[in-house]
């Protein structure tokens, strides 16, 4: 769910063909997605606009966006002259094919319409712009309490808070539960955040019920008291003035005339901030820079031998090439110049036959850029017969190489560049400690590392670097600032 966003596409066309006698066409735009096997499925369609060659469609086309997939789309414009939903009996005014990645990474995406491949639809053009459908605001709250009722026979209460919003069914729906603070009638809970959508559906005046209870390990928590408020009231809290609520126990209030409250809940601060999504960056012009590092160590086997991982099969592929294509085809839409630096490591390189751990695949150290994913593939094929596979397998030089670029970009303070390093390896790693340090250093930078393991080796070291079973730490015990490594064993995803 974290990777899924919904995107709204606005469509307009200019200079459409005129298919109606005596009046202009009545256009409608349909959006189809490639579902594989040459099949296209309709996702959405706009309204029909009468008598118009230059329509600006009002209805937005909505599509689920997945960064990690190449989503092929087809926009078709039709002249609608009947009441049927089926478009086969309507005149086709032209269309285009593209990927969703191309649309979201362009501020405005315009293309000439075609009747079929290579045949323009007159002077007709289509323009598409994308917007993410989201409310990424988050509520941050800091709360404390004073003089809560003592509920435990031997000690003080162990208070915790619960926040509820009204559901559509008319019941109270839990949106947040705080931690328990043991043995304390004046607790101060730690600052927490809840998305605005979850907290109150984005409605600042929606009632919020807050309950304070005494935690019992057997689950029979005792209510201390409750109150109702809304986000508009909570927002009045600031450093200079706390917002206070009396915590009321309804039964005690009924029984005792002299009852005042069961304590005071104090809102120390309530702030609403925007959390930026992946698409905010992409649509804001952030470029994703893709770099490849290829393992040319001896454990891969002699490339001329069919059992080598670098052996190129008669149909021109191997696991290294498939991995480059698979990751590269997703990332390339987000890089404007389509120039990708590519390196090899662990081989002896001519003319001196020194072992190198970051040599340019195109043998041009001052300009290691390849044109497009095809350029990386071509450079890889050309270099294979010219180098000697050797060792050891050192990852840290190429990680530090990309990190230097990421560090320069981070100093600009514009969040305009992100760096993805794809390392493809047969899994034996020699400089594990230096690599751990390199990853921990890089975790503070705008970069991520994808490691694809090819062949049948034991990938324990790669799984360790992935950090899914706990935070990766350097040898000195410094933890990674965030998890930036994803390890993928090729054999599990071959098909």
């Amino acid at each position: 769910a974290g990777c899924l966003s919904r995107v709204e596409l606005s469509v307009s066309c200019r200079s459409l063909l005129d298919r109606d006698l005596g009046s202009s066409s009545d256009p409608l735009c349909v959006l189809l997605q490639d579902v594989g096997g040459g099949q296209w499925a309709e996702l959405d369609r706009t309204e029909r606009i009468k008598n118009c060659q230059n329509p600006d469609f009002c209805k937005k086309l909505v599509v689920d966006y997945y960064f990690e997939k190449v989503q092929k789309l087809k926009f078709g414009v039709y002249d609608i002259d009947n009441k049927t939903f089926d478009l086969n009996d309507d005149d086709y005014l032209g269309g285009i094919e593209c990927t969703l990645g191309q649309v979201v990474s362009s501020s405005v995406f315009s293309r000439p319409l075609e009747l079929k491949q290579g045949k323009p639809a007159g002077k007709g053009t289509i323009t598409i712009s994308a917007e993410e459908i989201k409310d990424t605001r988050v509520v941050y709250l800091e709360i404390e309490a004073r003089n809560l009722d003592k509920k435990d026979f031997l000690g003080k209460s162990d208070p915790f808070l619960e926040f509820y919003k009204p559901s559509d069914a008319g019941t109270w729906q839990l949106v947040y539960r705080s931690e328990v603070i043991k043995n304390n009638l004046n607790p101060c809970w730690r600052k927490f955040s809840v998305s605005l959508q979850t907290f109150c559906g984005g409605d600042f005046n929606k009632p919020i019920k807050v309950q304070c209870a005494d935690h019992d390990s057997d689950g029979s928590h005792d209510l201390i008291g409750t109150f109702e408020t809304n986000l508009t009231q909570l927002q009045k809290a600031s450093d200079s003035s706390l917002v206070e609520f009396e915590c009321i126990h309804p039964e005690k209030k009924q029984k005792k005339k002299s009852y005042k409250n069961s304590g005071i809940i104090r809102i120390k601060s309530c702030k609403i901030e925007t959390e930026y999504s992946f698409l905010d960056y992409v649509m804001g012009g952030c470029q994703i820079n893709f770099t490849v590092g290829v393992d040319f160590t001896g454990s891969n086997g002699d490339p001329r031998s069919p059992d080598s991982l670098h052996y190129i099969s008669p149909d021109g592929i191997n696991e290294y090439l498939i991995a480059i294509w698979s990751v590269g085809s997703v990332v390339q839409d987000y890089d404007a110049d389509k120039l990708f630096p590519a390196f090899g490591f662990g081989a002896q390189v001519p003319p001196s036959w020194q072992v190198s751990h970051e040599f340019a695949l195109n043998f041009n150290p001052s300009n290691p850029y390849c044109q497009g994913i095809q350029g990386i593939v071509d450079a890889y094929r050309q270099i294979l017969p010219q180098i000697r596979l050797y060792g050891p397998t050192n990852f840290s030089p190429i990680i530090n190489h990309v990190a230097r670029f990421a560090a320069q970009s981070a100093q600009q303070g514009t969040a305009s560049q992100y760096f993805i390093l794809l390392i493809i390896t047969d899994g034996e790693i020699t400089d594990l400690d230096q690599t751990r340090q390199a990853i921990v250093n890089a975790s503070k930078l705008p970069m991520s590392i994808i490691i694809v393991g090819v062949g049948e080796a034991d990938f324990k070291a790669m799984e360790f670097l992935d950090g899914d079973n706990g935070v990766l730490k350097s040898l000195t015990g410094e933890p990674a600032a965030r998890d930036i490594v994803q390890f993928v064993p090729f054999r599990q995803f071959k098909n």
Side-chain angles (χ1 to χ4, degrees), residues 186-351:
N186 299 300
C188 184
W189 290 278
R190 62 171 170 259
K191 185 177 183 179
F192 67 91
S193 64
V194 185
S195 83
L196 193 66
Q197 191 60 44
T198 303
F199 193 72
C200 61
D203 177 353
F204 284 56
N205 294 316
K206 184 176 268 198
I208 299 288
K209 184 166 84 166
V210 185
Q211 262 179 215
C212 182
D214 169 36
H215 183 271
D216 283 320
S217 50
D218 65 2
S220 64
H221 312 312
D222 297 320
L223 179 68
I224 294 174
T226 180
F227 65 91
E228 277 188 36
T229 179
N230 59 36
L231 194 49
T232 306
Q233 286 179 329
L234 294 174
Q235 269 193 292
K236 293 177 179 151
S238 66
D239 301 337
S240 52
S241 69
L242 306 186
V243 173
E244 298 193 338
F245 296 95
E246 288 189 285
C247 208
I248 304 293
H249 192 296
E251 287 169 20
K252 281 192 172 179
K253 191 176 177 183
Q254 274 185 326
K255 282 184 190 156
K256 272 170 100 174
K257 285 231 160 56
S258 62
Y259 174 79
K260 281 173 75 174
N261 60 47
S262 297
I264 302 286
I265 305 280
R266 302 164 59 166
I267 314 296
K268 290 163 66 179
S269 82
C270 171
K271 292 194 172 66
I272 290 166
E273 292 172 13
T274 298
E275 284 198 343
Y276 292 105
S277 69
F278 177 78
L279 274 180
D280 281 319
Y281 288 98
V282 170
M283 292 178 170
C286 180
Q287 294 287 306
I288 295 183
N289 300 278
F290 177 54
T291 304
V292 178
V294 177
D295 179 341
F296 289 110
T297 52
S299 49
N300 282 279
D302 181 349
R304 289 168 300 202
S305 156
D307 52 10
S308 163
L309 291 166
H310 281 297
Y311 177 73
I312 295 180
S313 68
D315 54 0
I317 57 167
N318 62 25
E319 293 189 357
Y320 279 90
L321 285 170
I322 294 170
I324 291 169
W325 268 120
S326 305
V327 179
S329 60
V330 169
V331 176
Q332 65 176 350
D333 283 343
Y334 304 92
D335 185 316
D337 63 15
K338 309 274 185 282
L339 291 171
F340 305 117
F343 300 94
F345 57 90
Q348 293 177 319
V349 182

Side-chain angles (χ1 to χ4, degrees), residues 73-93:
L73 302 181
K74 191 189 274 187
F75 293 84
V77 184
Y78 290 84
D79 173 22
I80 308 292
D81 284 327
N82 55 34
K83 294 255 181 2
T84 63
F85 189 78
D86 186 12
L87 296 171
N88 289 326
D89 53 4
D90 297 296
D91 286 324
Y92 186 53
L93 300 177

Side-chain angles (χ1 to χ4, degrees), residues 378-405:
D378 295 343
Y380 168 82
R381 286 187 171 138
Q382 278 158 15
I383 201 174
L384 262 182
Q386 303 179 57
I387 55 174
R388 294 181 193 151
L389 272 56
Y390 207 71
T393 310
N394 292 351
F395 280 15
S396 58
I398 192 163
I399 294 174
N400 290 329
H401 179 106
V402 176
R404 285 194 292 275
F405 285 92

